[in-house]
Amino acid sequence: MADCCKAKVFDLGAQGDGLIKLDGKNVFVSSVCKDEEIEYELVSENRAKLINVLKASKDRISEVCPFAKICGGCALQHLSKEAYRAHKLRYFKQSFPEFMPLPEMDEPAFIDAKSRRRVSFAIAWNGFSKWLGLNPKQSDKILEIDSCFILVPELEKLIVPLRELVKGKTFPVQKKKGVGDVSLTLTNSGVDILFTLPFNCSDEFRNSLFEFANKYSIARISWRLNEKSYIDPILQNIVPSLNINDFILKPPAGVFLQPSVEGEKALQETVVEYVGKSKKILDLFCGAGTFSLALLQKKRVIKGADNASLALESLKKASEGRIETFDRDLFKTPMFPDEMEDYDCVIFDPPRAGAKAQAEQIAASQIKTVVAVSCNPETFARDANILISGGYEMVILKPVDQFVWSNHIELVAKFIKR
């Protein structure tokens, strides 16, 4: 074992790790607070392992999760509420380049723990050894957990029985080693489960899944070989459904949904406010209609675009045909200015990679109002700069923190063409 050393944490980095100095270089240490005096062990050139806290910060609290230090998903669970929120907002603001002054900022929305309604567990096997759990930070190994304090209780209570199911004799594991995952989503009708594994479900395991679904009142279980393959509906006890305003959405298996109901509501309310009185709205990267359905009202025309055909079909059915949808890969073929000229507002909510190509086309248009939603402040800053260079002004911005205790944060911003 390497010798233990002592140091003082001089700051926290953007990912939540503490920073100490060693020979003039920054070294990262997890689970520490600023100004703490610690004892550590160096594990690599730029990373150390916390051995002991010699002098604790006033901002330190006890982690509620016994797996917090090992898992790494909740990197900020040891911070007090005040310190946690200050840290998130500090690095949120620092995500933007210095040449881009931030506009007026709406009151941030912070979502509480025990709210996450979807989760994916890693599955791995090697011969007859099988594991189900989470991948710890900077590791491809699987941590088998018994509880998770960010999940809604309905999902948390399934962790242990789901692991027992996968580790049981009927799981159709191949002799060679491999990996996959299983995703759980809580809907109004119950839990929706999707296995993604590189082999077909055996008849024996199907019987085990039926027993599991009946015992734990599972709404639906599906199976696919990979993220792009056909989804096999193993069983459906009841159609999974979600309420968005007065509409009932019946989402397909594997559809993207916001992590929490509370976070979704905060984003929806902000989008509705920023859209204002716009009557003709184009919703890009619309998915199953998180924002389209929240905005739909009498005499308002909404058109949604995405390349998720099943999600679009669900959106069209939920809106009873009132929302027009079309299937389009907006990364390869973005909407062009002449296609947007009939609309007075555009919403875009891309994946973490952002929407550079689409932002360039919006910037070249004459759309009066643009509302951007993003789960990645860095790529948002890039896209926002494109809009600003095209004559838009970012007039207001709202952070939404629904990735509890992590370094991730979402936002909604409003742009006006000047």
Side-chain angles (χ1 to χ4, degrees):
M1 179 182 291
D3 293 335
C4 292
C5 303
K6 297 178 182 179
K8 184 174 182 177
V9 181
F10 69 87
D11 203 356
L12 294 185
Q15 305 300 311
D17 292 324
L19 292 168
I20 61 173
K21 286 288 186 184
L22 181 62
D23 298 330
K25 297 181 179 179
N26 290 343
V27 175
F28 296 96
V29 190
S30 299
S31 304
V32 297
C33 301
K34 183 181 178 183
D35 297 329
E36 287 189 328
E37 295 178 11
I38 65 168
E39 193 174 24
Y40 69 91
E41 176 186 311
L42 197 65
V43 296
S44 69
E45 184 178 349
N46 67 346
R47 182 160 290 276
K49 177 182 178 182
L50 175 66
I51 301 300
N52 190 28
V53 177
L54 302 174
K55 184 179 179 181
S57 165
K58 61 179 177 57
D59 294 327
R60 175 175 287 280
I61 61 173
S62 298
E63 293 101 334
V64 294
C65 176
F67 307 102
K69 285 186 174 67
I70 312 170
C71 170
C74 297
L76 303 170
Q77 199 177 108
H78 62 288
L79 294 183
S80 67
K81 180 185 289 188
E82 295 75 16
Y84 166 77
R85 293 185 174 185
H87 172 81
K88 276 230 163 168
L89 291 179
R90 171 193 172 191
Y91 280 103
F92 174 77
K93 294 174 182 177
Q94 290 184 9
S95 301
F96 299 89
E98 293 183 2
F99 63 79
M100 185 187 294
L102 289 178
E104 174 189 352
M105 190 175 292
D106 257 339
E107 183 70 23
F110 289 96
I111 309 305
D112 292 330
K114 295 288 185 183
S115 61
R116 192 176 177 96
R117 65 175 173 183
R118 61 177 174 84
V119 63
S120 289
F121 292 112
I123 299 175
W125 58 91
N126 189 356
F128 292 104
S129 296
K130 293 164 278 187
W131 302 269
L132 180 144
L134 301 173
N135 292 121
K137 187 177 181 180
Q138 298 179 332
S139 173
D140 58 357
K141 295 181 179 179
I142 291 182
L143 172 67
E144 295 193 324
I145 61 173
D146 297 325
S147 60
C148 181
F149 281 74
I150 64 172
L151 296 181
V152 293
E154 293 90 338
L155 295 186
E156 186 181 31
K157 73 179 184 180
L158 290 176
I159 296 174
V160 173
L162 187 63
R163 183 172 69 237
E164 292 174 349
L165 174 71
V166 167
K167 298 183 81 166
K169 293 181 179 180
T170 62
F171 184 72
V173 65
Q174 300 170 329
K175 291 185 178 180
K176 62 182 181 179
K177 64 181 181 180
V179 295
D181 64 62
V182 57
S183 301
L184 285 70
T185 302
L186 179 65
T187 72
N188 293 347
S189 314
V191 178
D192 190 13
I193 298 178
L194 172 62
F195 286 90
T196 303
L197 294 163
F199 48 81
N200 292 316
C201 181
S202 67
D203 290 340
E204 193 175 15
F205 193 59
R206 282 176 186 263
N207 292 333
S208 296
L209 290 175
F210 274 95
E211 293 175 5
F212 182 85
N214 291 331
K215 183 175 181 179
Y216 295 100
S217 301
I218 304 301
R220 177 174 64 189
I221 298 180
S222 307
W223 190 288
R224 63 183 177 183
L225 301 179
N226 56 61
E227 292 186 356
K228 295 182 178 180
S229 69
Y230 166 77
I231 295 177
D232 179 17
I234 300 292
L235 64 90
Q236 181 170 280
N237 288 326
I238 186 171
V239 178
S241 66
L242 298 165
N243 292 99
I244 300 180
N245 284 0
D246 296 330
F247 302 96
I248 298 176
L249 176 70
K250 297 177 181 178
V255 72
F256 172 79
L257 297 172
Q258 291 295 332
S260 68
V261 173
E262 296 84 355
E264 180 180 77
K265 185 177 180 181
L267 291 171
Q268 287 171 334
E269 289 177 347
T270 306
V271 168
V272 169
E273 178 186 347
Y274 290 2
V275 164
K277 296 182 180 180
S278 299
K279 292 296 183 183
K280 298 192 72 176
I281 301 167
L282 188 59
D283 186 1
L284 305 180
F285 306 95
C286 66
T290 297
F291 303 118
S292 291
L293 291 173
L295 286 162
L296 189 56
Q297 56 184 238
K298 196 174 182 179
K299 295 184 179 180
R300 177 173 271 172
V301 176
I302 300 177
K303 189 173 186 177
D306 207 314
N307 66 339
S309 57
L310 294 178
L312 293 177
E313 184 179 338
S314 296
L315 168 57
K316 196 166 185 178
K317 288 180 179 178
S319 70
E320 297 178 343
R322 292 170 58 192
I323 294 176
E324 182 184 356
T325 64
F326 64 105
D327 196 330
R328 184 157 169 175
D329 187 334
L330 297 170
F331 292 105
K332 296 179 179 179
T333 312
M335 292 285 291
F336 297 105
D338 62 327
E339 297 177 283
M340 297 185 279
E341 61 185 11
D342 291 336
Y343 297 88
D344 51 8
C345 179
V346 167
I347 305 165
F348 69 105
D349 178 21
R352 289 189 62 78
K356 182 176 181 292
Q358 186 60 72
E360 290 171 345
Q361 298 304 318
I362 296 173
S365 77
Q366 295 303 312
I367 297 288
K368 178 65 176 175
T369 303
V370 175
V371 178
V373 183
S374 174
C375 60
N376 187 339
E378 286 80 10
T379 56
F380 166 79
R382 178 202 65 202
D383 297 345
N385 187 50
I386 293 171
L387 295 177
I388 292 168
S389 298
Y392 283 92
E393 178 186 356
M394 181 164 40
V395 294
I396 195 164
L397 180 70
K398 183 182 181 74
V400 177
D401 175 28
Q402 59 174 329
F403 295 97
V404 187
W405 292 320
S406 79
N407 58 294
H408 298 296
I409 194 165
E410 295 185 77
L411 65 92
V412 186
K414 180 178 182 178
F415 298 82
I416 297 294
K417 190 81 168 187
R418 296 304 186 188

